[in-house]
Amino acid sequence: EVQLVESGGGLVQPGGSLRLSCVASGFTFSSCWMRWVRQAPGRGLETVANIKDDGGEKYYVDSVKGRFTISRDNAKNSLYLQMSSLRDEDTAVYYCTSAIRGDSRDYWGQGTLVTVSS
Amino acid sequence: DVVMTQSPLSLPVTLGQPASISCRSSQSLVHSNGNTFLNWFQQRPGQSPRRLIYKVSNRDSGVPDRFSGSGSGTDFTLQISRVEAEDVGVYYCMQATHWPWTFGQGTKVEIK
């Protein structure tokens, strides 16, 4: 059974930092591009960052460039999102998900809530 | 960024009747490799999103065949041939041709 389990969310003050983690099982993690997608409360979906299967390419949406860093450890089947200089508008549920465009592999975690508030 | 525009934003449907959602992109979604990376996702209340369709018309594993996708270039459609109660939720189109990958605003499907 495929599983993606996120952790690390919580309440943080504006300007603070947080590190999200996602542990994958049930599929060949090291052969999958991965991404973080977020959803602000009551709002739509936004792709935050993508990372290549070997970690050699990374892409960020403009609103998080320079503040967020996506990374992975294929030996641990894990995906990470280091978030710093957090803003109110970063408040959202963050989903760990696969980023495969060309075939039927599509995996999602249950999400972890990040709340940025003073 | 590529803007994805869905219509309608709210879709009340009768059980057993068909439903259709439109998605238009602000630029062509044909990739330089010839593929068109247009996806459809379903998000049921309280759940994570789930992809239904990839590359315009390919159903993901386990997706009922009452869901179908069509279109080309900048105009795409998701059709549900006969709506069932479990289809209630929000549907999003998403393009993965141009970075950043962008979603439509979502279409809320509810039963009349």
Side-chain angles (χ1 to χ4, degrees):
Chain A
E1 181 195 4
V2 170
Q3 277 198 311
L4 290 171
V5 180
E6 302 100 331
S7 61
L11 175 63
V12 60
Q13 291 188 338
S17 298
L18 215 53
R19 188 195 197 208
L20 305 184
S21 299
C22 170
V23 178
S25 60
F27 66 101
T28 308
F29 178 76
S30 59
S31 69
C32 293
W33 281 68
M34 297 294 294
R35 62 176 171 154
W36 290 96
V37 170
R38 67 183 177 184
Q39 186 170 35
R43 305 292 296 274
L45 299 165
E46 179 184 37
T47 300
V48 174
N50 278 21
I51 185 168
K52 193 172 182 283
D53 49 9
D54 63 4
E57 294 178 37
K58 303 176 184 181
Y59 301 89
Y60 301 93
V61 68
D62 281 351
S63 59
V64 308
K65 273 182 189 173
R67 301 189 300 122
F68 290 12
T69 302
I70 189 172
S71 62
R72 64 192 296 162
D73 184 338
N74 286 344
K76 295 182 178 179
N77 282 352
S78 293
L79 178 72
Y80 307 102
L81 186 67
Q82 178 68 47
M83 304 185 294
S84 60
S85 302
L86 283 161
R87 305 167 180 167
D88 291 349
E89 56 264 35
D90 296 318
T91 293
V93 173
Y94 285 73
Y95 294 101
C96 165
T97 174
S98 54
I100 301 162
R101 301 189 293 185
D103 63 39
S104 62
R105 291 173 292 166
D106 183 64
Y107 316 126
W108 288 74
Q110 83 288 352
T112 186
L113 177 62
V114 172
T115 303
V116 183
S117 174
S118 53
Chain B
D1 295 0
V2 176
V3 177
M4 305 297 288
T5 303
Q6 291 182 228
S7 63
L9 299 185
S10 178
L11 184 57
V13 295
T14 301
L15 288 174
Q17 293 301 302
S20 179
I21 301 171
S22 171
C23 176
R24 290 186 172 176
S25 57
S26 60
Q27 56 184 276
S28 174
L29 299 186
V30 180
H31 192 275
S32 56
N33 65 14
N35 287 305
T36 299
F37 296 111
L38 186 282
N39 307 279
W40 289 96
F41 291 84
Q42 175 195 62
Q43 187 173 31
R44 291 172 171 151
Q47 294 188 14
S48 301
R50 160 202 183 196
R51 197 177 68 185
L52 301 175
I53 303 284
Y54 66 97
K55 289 200 299 182
V56 181
S57 59
N58 296 275
R59 267 190 305 275
D60 275 282
S61 301
V63 174
D65 60 8
R66 64 178 181 275
F67 290 94
S68 63
S70 62
S72 63
T74 60
D75 288 341
F76 304 93
T77 302
L78 175 71
Q79 292 186 309
I80 310 174
S81 59
R82 294 172 307 279
V83 172
E84 298 189 6
E86 66 179 19
D87 299 336
V88 165
V90 181
Y91 291 76
Y92 297 91
C93 59
M94 187 205 81
Q95 66 82 20
T97 295
H98 307 283
W99 183 259
W101 294 1
T102 46
F103 290 89
Q105 320 96 301
T107 295
K108 187 172 185 178
V109 172
E110 58 185 11
I111 304 301
K112 281 183 186 176

